[in-house]
Amino acid sequence: MTSFRLSKGGLIDRSKPVGFSFDGKPQSGFAGDTLASALIANGQHLMARSFKYHRPRGVISAGSSEPNALVELREGGRKEANTRATMVELFEGLTAKSQNRWPSLEFDVMSVTSLASFMFVAGFYYKTFMWPKSFWEKIYEPLIRRSAGLGRASHEGDPDTYEKAYAHCDLLVIGAGPSGLMAALAAARSGARVILADEQFKLGGSLLFENEEIDGKPGREWAGSVIAELTSLPNVTLMRRTTVFGWYDGNVFGAVERVNDHVAVPPPFQPRQRYWRIFAAKAVLAAGAEERPLVFGGNDVPGVMLASAMRHYANRFAVSAGRSIAVFGNNSSISRTVADMKAHGVNIAAVLDPKSARIVDIKGGKGVRAIKLSDGHTLPCDAVAMSGGWSPVVNLMCHRGAKPVWNEKLAAFTPPDVGAQFVAIGAAKGSMLLSEALREGAAAGTLKGRFSAAPKCNDSAYEITPFWWVAESTGKAFVDYQNDATAKDIGLASREGYKDIELTKRYTTTGMATDQGKLGNVNAIALLAEATGKSIAQVGTTTFRPFYTPVSFGALAGASVGHHFQPVRKTPLHEWAAELGAEFVETGLWMRSSWFPKVGEDWLAAASREVLATRAGVGICDVSTLGKIDIQGKDAGAFLDRLYCNTFSTLSVGKARYGLMLREDGIVFDDGTTSRLAEDHFLMTTTTANAARVMSNIEFAHQALWPELDVTYTSVTEQWAQVAVAGPKSRATLQKIVDRIELNDETVPYLAAKEINVLGGIPARLFRISFSGEHAYELAVPADYGNMLGRALMHAGAEFGAVPYGIEALSIMRVEKGHVAGGELNGTTTAGDLGLGKMMSQKKDYIGRMMATREGLVAADRQSIVGIRAADGSTRLRAGAHLLTLGTSPSMAADQGYITSVAWSPMLGQWVGLALLSCGRTRIGETVQVFDGLRNLPMKAVICEPMHFDPENARLHA
């Protein structure tokens, strides 16, 4: 037997001892214990240090409202900070550690801040860290960052899995106490689909620790019989260890089921937690009420706890919080604690009523030694049970904007009326009698058929005399335990003008963080009401938001982590590229071949080799990720004219044309080629990044702007595998695989678009277009033939030294040729900025035409596209570096533009790039200063034409 374990009673299984450790010290408990109950049983009342003052803290509650006993569980990737010890089900091998202390829980260096606590009042940070200004970055911010936060997250990956699930029911019952069990039973007997969810690992609610009698038998036995019947019914789902954390539109509830939090390692193929979305025709809130603390000096010393929590530990876990207890409360429920503790042989040192005697301070630091009373007497004891009344758990019913209602008789906020779809019963409604709870549960669960009769029980009346704080307290009197907010902080906030409860909350941090004011909010509201001369109803509450209790990121993410974070789209040539040793990169959702290294090559060496081989012979590149949109209909040409700033209705059948799209504000949106395959049939290509956005834009334009046009469209990106075949030997390579056609400038001229067959009858589309600046083609075949096509082209081009090339080589070649891409199509540039102003038709209307003529978008000093090279011919350029006129100092006013794209040009043997430069087209040949503040690399560069290589395009038309 451990020092505070009672010799008999409780719902623990004494035949099953459980070993665990706390701060490295081996300890033991029993099956059915929580971590908190086992620690108290072992005499470990000190469990944490407070956030701001690092004061010693112990357990104050027995459930999810616990603000103090936040611990770190497990190790490695399974480490979990800020877990309430009161909610941790004890299991063999559990490792727990205290947090927010150094070097140890017993001796915390930061507790020295308590000595200066008179300074650290509400608003201290706002007032102090403003001056001197120079201290912020060097002293204040680093200090705050080191001190901030509760607990530490693991830097290792979580090895466990999580799931998401959906459920539908006729009735969702939230809480498995007496009212919840009665509601579930009534509905289940009528044949309704019922879900009963409770955050505890054992169902029964208050019947697990209160000595009640229902239908002539102990409340625990009655609860057990109801649970057994519910378990046997096929239309009932019992969800233990499940917290309903939010109420959303459509009567949808969010819940987290802690499936395997009570074991060291989840069994194979089982999740640790499961995130539920529950769709309920009707829901019942039977979550009970939370007991409130009283605000008095030293009310945070370990050993001071809620009166209901003290009997909870004694009756359910067979643990006494102390050997000599003082009871301090303003309501009739404290008599239960006195009776139960006496029955367990615990000495009652005093029963205090605020009307006659009040506690002004607690003697003791890491545990209670005595209490100091308002009459000057000091009374020895080692634990204090306090009760300031009961607050119905109203949070969920306020998640959609409704406000709770103040009840003077109960001295508590009660739930709002939100309609028949969601109702509160029992203590959650403010009905404090057991008979009321059972009767309301039976009524709420009667969905159809005859009204279910409630069982008989004995009631004990509930009375309360409102009392919030001991004004004459000599010690620190805490309102919000988790945030170290005191009664004096509330008064100070009022005096400094923060008289609205929402402002008081933020100024004092009362009711913030993971606790969300479950225990302290009503006390804070009452104190603010007193300070401002208002009633509690006039002050009102803060806004309730999900989540009711913290929800892990793992549960929110579910299975969407790692490779499952988002769908992976492999192109139809993925296997071909992998066979050739491609390194892949994520491009949106696509896995795209980036470069094809040989032994000893890095990405730049590989990409440079691919460029040289392509420009000397033939290179093959997978371009299947380009967006492909099939557009058909008699008005297809007219529709394209309105989407593009240049004209497509005049395009000949069998030809392709480069097109430029603008946004409605006149800024360039996307570019690509569109081919006319028949009079009423076009194929549009888009950039990889904008494929989905262009499709959405097309749908909007047709449905909202021009619904009268006879046109249909669909994305065919996934239906076609497409490769670029570039280089002086591209035609000779293609000739080997095409069927019954001679490739020449007459049959397939530049910008031709032709439907052909390849490899003995496979339908294909051939386009003579080039992004590399070489004589090049793009060839598309149905997706299933993609890998076959890639292999066939490599075989056909083998005699010409064919190489696969990836998007790194493609990027090098496009920069060499001055072709704009993502770095230039950045959402700020116009057609004129990119040197494409002549494409803007003056003979038709199109999206963005009028806005593109705004004064600011046609100003002569706008930044426009230019080429750039290092002045010394060897220094490496860096994208993002800013450009300045020679002799000027770096500043926003002096900024002339920036480098948008750079590449090492193997053809020119130097770094080249593209830039956006103010008045750029008039500054060709000028030397500018390059400012790279990130790397602090000063250099000079020469502005040149964007086309660095083959400016006559001789290779393109060869």
Side-chain angles (χ1 to χ4, degrees):
M1 290 297 175
T2 49
S3 55
F4 287 86
R5 181 75 72 181
L6 299 174
S7 60
K8 60 182 180 179
L11 301 181
I12 56 173
D13 188 345
R14 298 174 191 261
S15 67
K16 296 180 179 178
V18 178
F20 70 101
S21 69
F22 181 70
D23 279 349
K25 179 183 178 182
Q27 307 215 35
S28 65
F30 295 110
D33 264 325
T34 63
L35 175 61
S37 67
L39 287 173
I40 296 173
N42 283 274
Q44 182 72 50
H45 297 282
L46 174 60
M47 298 185 193
R49 291 281 179 163
S50 70
F51 175 55
K52 185 162 62 173
Y53 301 130
H54 288 252
R55 287 170 66 95
R57 289 282 168 85
V59 163
I60 190 172
S61 75
S64 60
S65 62
E66 177 58 38
N68 288 344
L70 305 182
V71 298
E72 180 184 284
L73 295 185
R74 303 179 175 87
E75 296 177 332
R78 290 191 170 92
K79 184 169 74 171
E80 180 182 359
N82 296 325
T83 306
R84 287 161 170 76
T86 52
M87 294 296 292
V88 177
E89 185 175 351
L90 202 65
F91 59 83
E92 186 65 38
L94 171 65
T95 300
K97 296 178 181 178
S98 57
Q99 52 188 39
N100 201 42
R101 82 293 187 276
W102 184 87
S104 70
L105 181 61
E106 287 291 332
F107 179 74
D108 180 11
V109 171
M110 288 298 291
S111 63
V112 70
T113 56
S114 290
L115 300 177
S117 60
F118 66 92
M119 296 171 52
F120 300 145
V121 294
F124 167 80
Y125 304 103
Y126 309 114
K127 301 169 185 174
T128 305
F129 297 139
M130 298 292 290
W131 180 90
K133 184 178 180 181
S134 60
F135 274 35
W136 175 253
E137 289 187 1
K138 296 179 180 178
I139 298 176
Y140 296 151
E141 185 180 21
L143 179 63
I144 291 172
R145 288 191 178 279
R146 280 195 297 270
S147 301
L150 288 169
R152 293 292 180 266
S154 173
H155 292 280
E156 300 179 29
D158 188 342
D160 296 328
T161 59
Y162 300 80
E163 288 182 352
K164 292 186 178 182
Y166 296 82
H168 297 76
C169 62
D170 298 313
L171 181 68
L172 168 64
V173 181
I174 303 167
S179 61
L181 289 174
M182 193 66 236
L185 183 64
R189 286 175 173 173
S190 70
R193 293 179 301 166
V194 178
I195 293 177
L196 175 60
D198 192 278
E199 64 185 4
Q200 293 287 338
F201 59 86
K202 191 173 183 64
L203 304 182
S206 62
L207 296 179
L208 297 176
F209 66 91
E210 298 285 23
N211 290 314
E212 303 285 6
E213 186 177 288
I214 303 176
D215 267 353
K217 54 187 175 184
R220 297 177 188 176
E221 291 185 17
W222 178 85
S225 64
V226 173
I227 294 166
E229 182 176 345
L230 292 174
T231 302
S232 69
L233 297 175
N235 56 316
V236 177
T237 301
L238 300 181
M239 299 180 70
R240 296 174 175 83
R241 306 182 181 94
T242 301
T243 300
V244 178
F245 61 72
W247 178 42
Y248 303 92
D249 291 348
N251 229 34
V252 178
F253 293 82
V256 167
E257 179 184 8
R258 303 185 304 279
V259 183
N260 283 299
D261 271 7
H262 60 292
V263 296
V265 179
F269 312 112
Q270 287 191 22
R272 179 172 168 183
Q273 295 178 356
R274 187 178 289 120
Y275 174 105
W276 287 93
R277 291 184 184 178
I278 303 174
F279 298 76
K282 179 181 178 180
V284 170
L285 180 64
E290 293 283 4
E291 192 171 23
R292 297 191 298 264
L294 287 170
V295 181
F296 57 85
N299 63 343
D300 68 326
V301 174
V304 179
M305 67 172 61
L306 298 172
S308 61
M310 191 169 286
R311 63 178 182 270
H312 192 141
Y313 286 112
N315 295 336
R316 180 179 173 186
F317 302 113
V319 172
S320 174
R323 296 183 176 88
S324 182
I325 296 170
V327 182
F328 181 32
N330 66 347
N331 62 88
S332 58
S333 66
I334 63 172
S335 61
R336 289 177 175 250
T337 302
V338 173
D340 289 354
M341 299 311 291
K342 279 185 176 180
H344 288 296
V346 178
N347 178 58
I348 304 300
V351 179
L352 305 172
D353 186 319
K355 290 179 290 186
S356 56
R358 296 175 294 278
I359 300 175
V360 296
D361 200 2
I362 299 290
K363 297 297 183 180
K366 298 173 185 177
V368 176
R369 297 199 314 272
I371 56 174
K372 183 179 178 182
L373 303 179
S374 55
D375 60 8
H377 287 88
T378 298
L379 186 66
C381 62
D382 62 355
V384 175
M386 60 180 171
S387 180
W390 292 82
S391 296
V393 179
V394 302
N395 303 53
L396 284 174
M397 300 194 84
C398 301
H399 280 177
R400 287 166 58 181
K403 290 288 188 178
V405 180
W406 179 250
N407 185 306
E408 287 285 354
K409 183 178 179 181
L410 293 174
F413 284 97
T414 55
D417 183 355
V418 295
Q421 64 178 343
F422 192 19
V423 297
I425 60 175
K429 183 183 178 183
S431 302
M432 303 304 292
L433 300 182
L434 179 58
S435 58
E436 292 177 325
L438 294 171
R439 186 167 58 250
E440 290 169 1
T446 302
L447 304 182
K448 49 188 175 181
R450 191 174 61 181
F451 181 79
S452 299
K456 295 180 180 180
C457 65
N458 294 323
D459 277 328
S460 57
Y462 174 73
E463 296 178 353
I464 181 171
T465 301
F467 180 80
W468 311 106
W469 73 302
V470 179
E472 61 269 36
S473 291
T474 57
K476 279 193 175 297
F478 288 90
V479 177
D480 185 306
Y481 292 87
Q482 190 168 109
N483 296 290
D484 275 354
T486 66
K488 289 184 178 180
D489 289 331
I490 304 295
L492 179 63
S494 174
R495 293 195 300 274
E496 297 195 347
Y498 298 93
K499 298 183 178 183
D500 184 278
I501 187 60
E502 294 283 11
L503 298 178
T504 301
K505 171 183 176 179
R506 286 153 181 81
Y507 192 64
T508 65
T509 68
T510 298
M512 299 179 70
T514 64
D515 173 59
Q516 288 296 295
K518 292 181 182 65
L519 298 185
N521 267 5
V522 174
N523 287 337
I525 293 166
L527 289 172
L528 184 63
E530 181 179 317
T532 57
K534 296 180 179 179
S535 68
I536 293 176
Q538 288 174 324
V539 172
T541 65
T542 55
T543 301
F544 294 94
R545 301 180 179 90
F547 303 99
Y548 176 67
T549 54
V551 175
S552 69
F553 286 116
L556 293 174
S560 300
V561 295
H563 290 298
H564 300 291
F565 176 68
Q566 59 187 8
V568 175
R569 299 169 78 183
K570 295 181 180 179
T571 75
L573 288 107
H574 186 88
E575 291 182 10
W576 164 79
E579 290 169 1
L580 296 173
E583 291 287 340
F584 293 96
V585 64
E586 293 184 20
T587 309
L589 295 180
W590 291 103
M591 293 299 293
R592 197 168 182 187
S593 48
S594 191
W595 68 90
F596 295 79
K598 293 184 178 297
V599 176
E601 287 184 333
D602 60 12
W603 72 271
L604 183 56
S608 298
R609 173 182 50 77
E610 293 163 19
V611 169
L612 292 170
T614 299
R615 295 211 187 278
V618 60
I620 299 161
C621 182
D622 180 6
V623 294
S624 302
T625 62
L626 294 175
K628 309 175 193 69
I629 301 174
D630 198 288
I631 303 173
Q632 300 187 35
K634 70 181 182 64
D635 294 328
F639 185 53
L640 287 169
D641 284 348
R642 302 181 191 188
L643 294 173
Y644 283 114
C645 68
N646 52 324
T647 304
F648 278 85
S649 58
T650 59
L651 183 65
S652 301
V653 174
K655 296 291 287 184
R657 178 172 292 168
Y658 177 73
L660 194 67
M661 285 186 188
L662 306 183
R663 300 189 316 218
E664 289 183 345
D665 60 0
I667 297 297
V668 173
F669 175 34
D670 196 60
D671 70 341
T673 60
T674 292
S675 305
R676 193 167 198 167
L677 304 179
E679 283 295 329
D680 59 353
H681 187 187
F682 292 81
L683 180 69
M684 174 191 294
T685 63
T686 73
T687 61
T688 297
N690 282 332
R693 285 190 286 269
V694 171
M695 186 66 191
S696 296
N697 191 50
I698 290 174
E699 290 176 332
F700 172 79
H702 185 222
Q703 295 177 25
L705 303 181
W706 305 299
E708 72 280 2
L709 295 183
D710 181 4
V711 61
T712 58
Y713 37 82
T714 187
S715 172
V716 294
T717 302
E718 287 85 355
Q719 278 66 49
W720 293 88
Q722 193 154 316
V723 294
V725 185
K729 298 299 182 180
S730 56
R731 177 185 290 171
T733 300
L734 278 172
Q735 188 65 66
K736 294 184 179 183
I737 68 166
V738 299
D739 298 346
R740 299 183 301 278
I741 181 175
E742 183 69 27
L743 301 180
N744 53 50
D745 288 340
E746 288 72 38
T747 58
V748 187
Y750 181 59
L751 293 179
K754 201 174 190 69
E755 295 188 295
I756 63 172
N757 292 311
V758 298
L759 298 173
I762 298 174
R765 290 170 175 172
L766 182 65
F767 311 92
R768 188 173 166 188
I769 54 181
S770 175
F771 194 55
S772 61
E774 294 294 323
H775 183 109
Y777 304 82
E778 289 187 13
L779 179 64
V781 297
D784 287 348
Y785 297 100
N787 291 308
M788 176 191 292
L789 176 65
R791 296 177 185 119
L793 285 169
M794 288 298 293
H795 180 73
E799 68 172 292
F800 310 119
V803 297
Y805 67 93
I807 57 174
E808 290 293 345
L810 183 64
S811 178
I812 291 172
M813 289 190 280
R814 75 96 179 169
V815 173
E816 287 180 332
K817 291 296 295 180
H819 294 162
V820 296
E824 295 72 46
L825 306 178
N826 58 16
T828 67
T829 51
T830 67
D833 298 339
L834 302 177
L836 303 174
K838 292 182 179 179
M839 294 181 66
M840 298 173 63
S841 174
Q842 303 300 313
K843 300 178 181 180
K844 66 182 180 73
D845 195 14
Y846 50 87
I847 293 175
R849 178 182 177 181
M850 296 305 297
M851 296 294 278
T853 62
R854 286 177 293 167
E855 181 179 356
L857 298 190
V858 296
D861 62 348
R862 279 189 63 84
Q863 295 177 1
S864 57
I865 200 74
V866 294
I868 189 168
R869 302 184 188 184
D872 61 8
S874 61
T875 304
R876 180 174 183 172
L877 299 173
R878 299 280 187 172
H882 285 256
L883 305 178
L884 309 170
T885 304
L886 285 179
T888 59
S889 299
S891 68
M892 292 297 294
D895 188 20
Q896 294 287 295
Y898 66 99
I899 301 174
T900 58
S901 302
V902 298
W904 166 258
S905 169
M907 303 303 295
L908 301 174
Q910 68 178 103
W911 289 91
V912 299
L914 301 176
L916 288 168
L917 181 66
S918 179
C919 304
R921 301 303 300 165
T922 66
R923 301 173 68 173
I924 303 299
E926 180 181 341
T927 299
V928 296
Q929 180 71 38
V930 178
F931 173 69
D932 188 341
L934 183 64
R935 302 177 184 86
N936 194 26
L937 299 173
M939 61 177 293
K940 296 178 182 178
V942 177
I943 304 303
C944 60
E945 292 289 346
M947 194 177 300
H948 296 277
F949 176 70
D950 186 27
E952 297 81 17
N953 280 325
R955 302 172 70 90
L956 179 67
H957 300 290

